[in-house]
Amino acid sequence: MGQCFSAEVERPPPEEPHIGKDRPVKIIIAGAPASGKGTQCENIKTKYGVVHLSTGDMLRAAVAAGTDVGKKAKEFMDSGRLVPDDVIIGVVKDRLEQDDCVKKGWLLDGFPRTAAQAEALADAGVSADVFIFLNVPDEVLVERVVGRRTDPVTGKIYHMTFSPPENDEILERCEQRSDDTEEKVKVRLEQFHANVEAVKGNYTSIIVVVDGSQAPSEVSEHVAKAIDEKLAE
């Protein structure tokens, strides 16, 4: 007698997503002014292929595209008022749902900035794989900021200790930003610390603290290791 076969074909189980470049990675990074966050964002973007997002860029893009939340944001921006959290969250959520972010993953740069924003982001259904915090002592941050100088001719940024101007002619024309004084930096740092501590409380299960006072290449190694380890959990 012939053997009876079921009409249903047994399908193999779906493959688990691969870790790293083959899987969209969702990252939030936070760091004080002069913590080296910009450099690390570029490195993360290159290594993991994610879409690098800052709130300023997202707001400008939403306004330019004329989306519903973009129109709301424009009303506040045109009148010189701060864009409220609910509008910012709407802009961020819309952006994260676009194809490039869904396919490639994303890197939220310096957002959320407050506990209210972190909670609103969670309420909107947005979650990350890892929260990277670049930890740099205040005295190091102050030294980095106060020593910064900009060449008004080329736009190049120097540091009087770490990367001084090549010659006296450039040195003489270099300028210091008005808010790059020790007093103003300390005020900015106080505000940053007050907000970031509250934000970190919303990401205790995925936070990774990286020593940002090391050389940029060493920080990059630690950041990549932290991301890979978090994704492998």
Side-chain angles (χ1 to χ4, degrees), residues 56 161 228:
T161 303
D228 292 341

Side-chain angles (χ1 to χ4, degrees), residues 23 85 98 112 142 171 219:
R23 173 185 140 188
D85 281 352
Q98 291 179 15
V142 170
L171 175 61
V219 176

Side-chain angles (χ1 to χ4, degrees), residues 151-193:
D151 182 346
V153 175
T154 64
K156 185 175 179 180
I157 297 174
Y158 295 93
H159 193 281
M160 300 307 290
T161 303
F162 309 123
S163 54
E166 294 88 349
N167 56 56
D168 289 342
E169 181 186 348
I170 297 174
L171 175 61
E172 286 177 11
R173 70 180 186 228
C174 276
E175 299 172 344
Q176 183 181 33
R177 271 177 40 176
S178 60
D179 59 347
D180 277 356
T181 63
E182 185 170 345
E183 294 76 19
K184 290 183 178 178
V185 173
K186 285 182 175 178
V187 170
R188 279 153 60 195
L189 288 176
E190 281 177 16
Q191 293 173 336
F192 170 79
H193 289 311

Side-chain angles (χ1 to χ4, degrees), residues 30-106:
S35 63
K37 184 162 60 68
T39 299
Q40 297 310 317
C41 283
E42 284 302 311
N43 293 339
I44 292 169
K45 179 182 171 183
T46 300
K47 180 173 176 61
Y48 296 95
V50 293
V51 181
H52 178 203
L53 302 167
S54 70
T55 46
D57 290 342
M58 284 186 279
L59 280 169
R60 284 186 287 272
V63 169
T67 63
D68 288 342
V69 286
K71 289 174 184 173
K72 288 180 184 176
K74 188 175 188 300
E75 290 176 14
F76 288 95
M77 293 162 75
D78 286 350
S79 62
R81 291 176 292 165
L82 287 175
V83 181
D85 281 352
D86 62 325
V87 176
I88 293 175
I89 296 296
V91 169
V92 173
K93 191 169 186 290
D94 278 3
R95 183 66 185 90
L96 297 182
E97 288 172 352
Q98 291 179 15
D99 282 350
D100 57 345
C101 288
V102 173
K103 291 173 182 173
K104 297 179 181 178
W106 43 262

